[in-house]
Amino acid sequence: VQLQAFGGGLVQAGGSLRLSCAASGRIFSDYSVGWFRQAPGKEREFVAAIRWSGGNTRYANSVKGRFTISRDNAKNTVYLQMNSLKPEDTAVYYCASSGMLTARQDDMAYWGKGTQVTVSS
């Protein structure tokens, strides 16, 4: 499975961005795709995840109510709609794939390159 994340950029606090994660290769219906982020000087952390079939989701508490993860199975693409962005959301965002719906980075089998999101105050 190959993953490519894009859609990052610079946005003011309170603004919105939508990230996309395009998947290619052997994608099974029981796979899940997760978004993680890493801010400067901090460890990478879980943001959200979704299962390809059924659409079950998980969110980090810090983004609940502001971020929405969704998928378009026909396009093999997972989206992360980010609203009400805060400066603390500034990070490199990565998408990753796993055989289970999980927030654990160690359970991710495939990773894409990150995309930078910068939120100015």
Side-chain angles (χ1 to χ4, degrees), residues 59-106:
Y59 293 94
N61 288 335
S62 59
V63 305
K64 279 182 180 178
R66 300 189 299 122
F67 290 11
T68 302
I69 190 170
S70 63
R71 88 267 192 239
D72 184 332
N73 288 7
K75 295 182 178 180
N76 286 344
T77 301
V78 171
Y79 304 100
L80 185 68
Q81 178 66 43
M82 306 185 294
N83 298 329
S84 302
L85 282 162
K86 306 175 182 179
E88 50 264 43
D89 294 317
T90 295
V92 177
Y93 284 70
Y94 300 87
C95 60
S97 181
S98 171
M100 64 186 77
L101 186 63
T102 177
R104 288 171 43 88
Q105 297 185 49
D106 291 346

Side-chain angles (χ1 to χ4, degrees), residues 1-12:
V1 176
Q2 293 79 46
L3 302 169
Q4 183 176 2
F6 52 95
L10 173 64
V11 63
Q12 289 188 332

